[in-house]
Amino acid sequence: MLQTRPGHRYARLMSVGGYRGSRVVDNAEMCTMIDSSDEWIRQRTGIVERRWATDDETPLSMSVAAARKAIERAGLVPDQISAIIVSTVSHFKQTPSLACEVAAELGCPAPAAFDISAACAGFSYGVGLAEGMIRSGSSDYVLVIGVEVLSRLTDFDDRSTAFLFSDGAGAVVVGPSDVPGIGPTVWGSDPKATKVIEIGDWKQLTTAGETPYIHMDGRTVFLWATTFIADKTKEALALAGLAPDELDVFIPHQANNRITDSMLRHLKLPESVVVSRDIVHMGNSSAASVPLGMEALLESGEATSGQTALIIGFGAGLVFSGQVVTLP
Ligand code: UT7
């Protein structure tokens, strides 16, 4: 009979760290690039300003900055990281993975390292994977990073999407725990909806020298998020054995404040639940949005370590993923 490793009983988030693109682009500046208005953007999404990377801020540099914070806050050193998972759709290289480049830059000796492509759900996919890796015994400390530079994939001839996107990175360290710190992951995809959000063919880059832009049918995503995903959010809460009034914090993917409002109505969460509205000053940073929202709530004191938070991501694929976590 094959021998297997003894795993850790439970896993938890030990820390979170973030990095935001340093260029602040408000709606007035955005409206010099597209035919729109500050009022329309605020009313339809809640966004007041967004953060973009400058030329010297890259997926690698932002990932490393977020990861260093998370590793330090976990009380660890890079040598102790046994696996790195990076979720991104804006790493402009097929190989090596961004995770391998992050490992090299951080000076981690030999971690398992790989990227995942699950768009705006990618951070929660990574947390679900990390939890399984720790409980199976294949890793002790897993660094999960969500990072995007969506401003470089934005089509400024498309006013229905250009005002949404932003650049940043969020990282957590997931480690062993004596008590459950990560609830069951609810995840899946809709194979009928592969064309709803797409980033064009990378061949464009080499053949035509054109950037492959994000194309999105926003109305379809909006409807899907406020119905199907709202139900999945309820499922994640129920699987963790929590009633709505036992939840402290709700951190949905920062896609649109109106989607968040609709989810809140669906979930019937009490007013006491703290809700992430990071989109207002950040825009939609896809895989980075949930960890950045988490860090912001903890830094502002609106949320505190040890509280229970429901996180949910949804986006291109279409894919979704969510779980209840204990805040680091
Ligand atoms: O993160 C990945 C997942 N993505 C999402 O979750 C995005 C989900 N979708 C959305 O958040 C929304 O669909 C958007 C914010 C992208 C768009 O908001 P909407 O309320 O769905 O607008 P719409 O596309 O239905 O357009 C409504 C109207 C249209 O005019 P008519 O046809 O009603 O005359 C558009 O032409 O608004 C017009 N419009 C604009 N007007 C001013 C579209 N974009 C703009 C604009 N400024 N930027």
Side-chain angles (χ1 to χ4, degrees):
M1 192 157 58
L2 292 181
Q3 195 172 298
T4 60
R5 285 179 175 134
H8 298 282
R9 184 136 191 232
Y10 302 116
R12 68 181 174 105
L13 303 190
M14 299 176 68
S15 60
V16 61
Y19 184 90
R20 294 164 195 260
S22 55
R23 185 165 167 225
V24 180
V25 179
D26 64 13
N27 286 344
E29 185 181 351
M30 177 52 59
C31 293
T32 63
M33 297 174 235
I34 58 167
D35 175 18
S36 189
S37 67
D38 174 47
E39 189 194 355
W40 191 94
I41 297 171
R42 281 183 198 232
Q43 194 242 321
R44 293 289 171 134
T45 66
I47 298 172
V48 171
E49 58 192 14
R50 67 232 11 91
R51 303 289 289 263
W52 285 358
T54 53
D55 287 346
D56 53 359
E57 290 170 321
T58 64
L60 177 60
S61 73
M62 296 195 296
S63 296
V64 167
R68 284 206 172 109
K69 263 190 186 175
I71 293 169
E72 196 187 318
R73 287 173 177 173
L76 300 175
V77 291
D79 285 39
Q80 291 169 280
I81 299 297
S82 41
I84 302 177
I85 304 171
V86 177
S87 173
T88 186
V89 295
S90 40
H91 176 49
F92 290 86
K93 243 187 230 175
Q94 290 291 346
T95 197
S97 67
L98 187 53
C100 284
E101 293 184 345
V102 168
E105 197 73 22
L106 288 174
C108 305
F114 58 97
D115 293 355
I116 54 175
S117 174
C120 310
F123 175 73
S124 173
Y125 264 77
V127 169
L129 286 171
E131 190 239 7
M133 288 155 70
I134 288 163
R135 294 182 68 188
S136 73
S138 66
S139 297
D140 291 330
Y141 298 112
V142 184
L143 180 63
V144 179
I145 301 172
V147 60
E148 305 294 357
V149 278
L150 298 181
S151 67
R152 290 178 198 154
L153 296 167
T154 297
D155 180 359
F156 291 100
D157 289 330
D158 177 5
R159 73 167 184 164
S160 71
T161 58
F163 56 88
L164 282 171
F165 300 118
S166 63
D167 308 334
V172 290
V173 174
V174 184
S177 175
D178 295 334
V179 292
I182 299 173
T185 298
V186 170
W187 58 10
S189 61
D190 181 354
K192 294 186 297 305
T194 54
K195 304 280 179 208
V196 174
I197 310 174
E198 284 186 293
I199 297 179
D201 197 322
W202 290 101
K203 271 187 297 200
Q204 279 176 263
L205 258 182
T206 45
T207 53
E210 289 169 14
T211 306
Y213 292 131
I214 301 167
H215 297 287
M216 176 172 77
D217 172 358
R219 285 184 198 187
T220 300
V221 184
F222 196 101
L223 185 65
W224 177 71
T226 53
T227 53
F228 181 78
I229 296 303
D231 280 338
K232 289 291 163 190
T233 307
K234 263 188 174 169
E235 204 177 306
L237 196 59
L239 281 173
L242 290 186
D245 62 2
E246 289 174 287
L247 189 71
D248 300 311
V249 181
F250 181 43
I251 312 174
H253 165 48
Q254 300 293 292
N256 186 327
N257 259 345
R258 283 163 56 224
I259 293 177
T260 300
D261 291 338
S262 167
M263 283 182 166
L264 285 172
R265 285 194 293 276
H266 197 80
L267 283 164
K268 297 191 173 55
L269 295 180
E271 298 250 316
S272 58
V273 172
V274 171
V275 179
S276 173
R277 301 284 185 180
D278 201 48
I279 191 170
V280 175
H281 297 290
M282 181 62 197
N284 176 346
S285 58
S286 189
S289 88
V290 168
L292 284 174
M294 186 183 290
E295 184 191 43
L297 291 178
L298 289 167
E299 283 188 344
S300 69
E302 290 165 89
T304 51
S305 172
Q307 288 186 313
T308 52
L310 174 55
I311 65 175
I312 184 102
F314 50 88
L318 293 174
V319 290
F320 64 89
S321 179
Q323 60 272 98
V324 175
V325 297
T326 304
L327 288 176

